[in-house]
Amino acid sequence: MVLNLFKDIDTFVFDVDGVLTDGSLLLLDDGQQVRRMNIKDGYALQLAIKKGYRILVISGGASEAVRTRLNKLGIMDVYLKVTDKIEVLEQYRVANGLQWPQILFMGDDIPDYGVMQLAGMPCAPSDAAPEIKRLAKYISPVKGGEGCVRDVIEKVMKLRGDWAIDTSVPSK
């Protein structure tokens, strides 16, 4: 049963574009590229950190606005401009004494392919590329940027008894 695979997870790793965002960009006249993130994902990320889960974000993108948003949520392990996601995650895994079955990775497109093959729990949003969906052990019914991150965090935390109403965590 796929839910059993969620029980060993204590480390979440997410791509940005297409997972934490809906994958679209709003291009402004001054050259800025604006992304949109989901507040419900933000709440789940904050709660997971508060409960002691590790959260990493690994992206090929280079948006400092994304880093700022994630840091405000309490995520300090934010790796941007990454050309080799496997190398970054492997270094983190070894440095923190983690085994692959502890790691959930959610990606949506070809740059995530290699990490999807290694992660103990490879996941994808419902609108991921077909190649990524084939590797995923769990495909969220939710699209990228619309709550797929919360979906997987909530599943893990509920199975481990860590999901509860917590009014001390702001919903931003």
Side-chain angles (χ1 to χ4, degrees):
M1 178 177 202
V2 73
L3 285 178
N4 288 334
L5 298 173
F6 284 101
K7 287 183 181 177
D8 294 329
I9 302 303
D10 63 15
T11 303
F12 296 96
V13 185
F14 298 106
D15 178 35
V16 173
D17 294 319
V19 175
L20 284 164
T21 77
D22 64 7
S24 64
L25 290 172
L26 177 62
L27 305 175
L28 303 180
D29 286 339
D30 65 0
Q32 287 188 65
Q33 298 180 2
V34 181
R35 292 163 172 86
R36 185 178 73 159
M37 293 187 169
N38 188 287
I39 293 294
K40 290 182 178 116
D41 286 345
Y43 173 80
L45 290 162
Q46 284 183 323
L47 183 59
I49 290 166
K50 182 178 179 183
K51 296 287 187 171
Y53 291 86
R54 290 178 207 84
I55 297 182
L56 290 78
V57 173
I58 304 175
S59 176
S63 170
E64 285 307 310
V66 166
R67 182 187 309 278
T68 299
R69 165 73 176 151
L70 296 172
N71 288 168
K72 283 182 181 178
L73 292 173
I75 303 167
M76 298 299 131
D77 293 310
V78 179
Y79 302 90
L80 303 177
K81 301 180 191 175
V82 173
T83 56
D84 187 344
K85 292 182 181 187
I86 294 172
E87 180 182 345
V88 169
L89 185 51
E90 178 64 8
Q91 287 175 2
Y92 183 90
R93 186 187 72 79
V94 170
N96 288 278
L98 300 173
Q99 300 299 314
W100 286 110
Q102 295 172 264
I103 299 171
L104 179 149
F105 178 82
M106 182 174 260
D108 73 305
D109 212 345
I110 303 305
D112 304 316
Y113 194 89
V115 178
M116 294 282 291
Q117 292 178 303
L118 297 172
M121 188 60 189
C123 299
S126 66
D127 57 344
E131 297 88 347
I132 297 303
K133 285 181 169 181
R134 280 195 290 276
L135 291 176
K137 291 181 182 173
Y138 175 74
I139 300 170
S140 175
V142 185
K143 292 180 180 179
E146 295 183 8
C148 64
V149 168
R150 175 163 176 161
D151 177 43
V152 295
I153 290 173
E154 190 172 335
K155 277 186 176 31
V156 168
M157 291 180 71
K158 281 182 175 178
L159 285 167
R160 294 180 62 141
D162 293 328
W163 187 266
I165 294 175
D166 187 342
T167 58
S168 70
V169 177
S171 60
K172 293 186 177 185

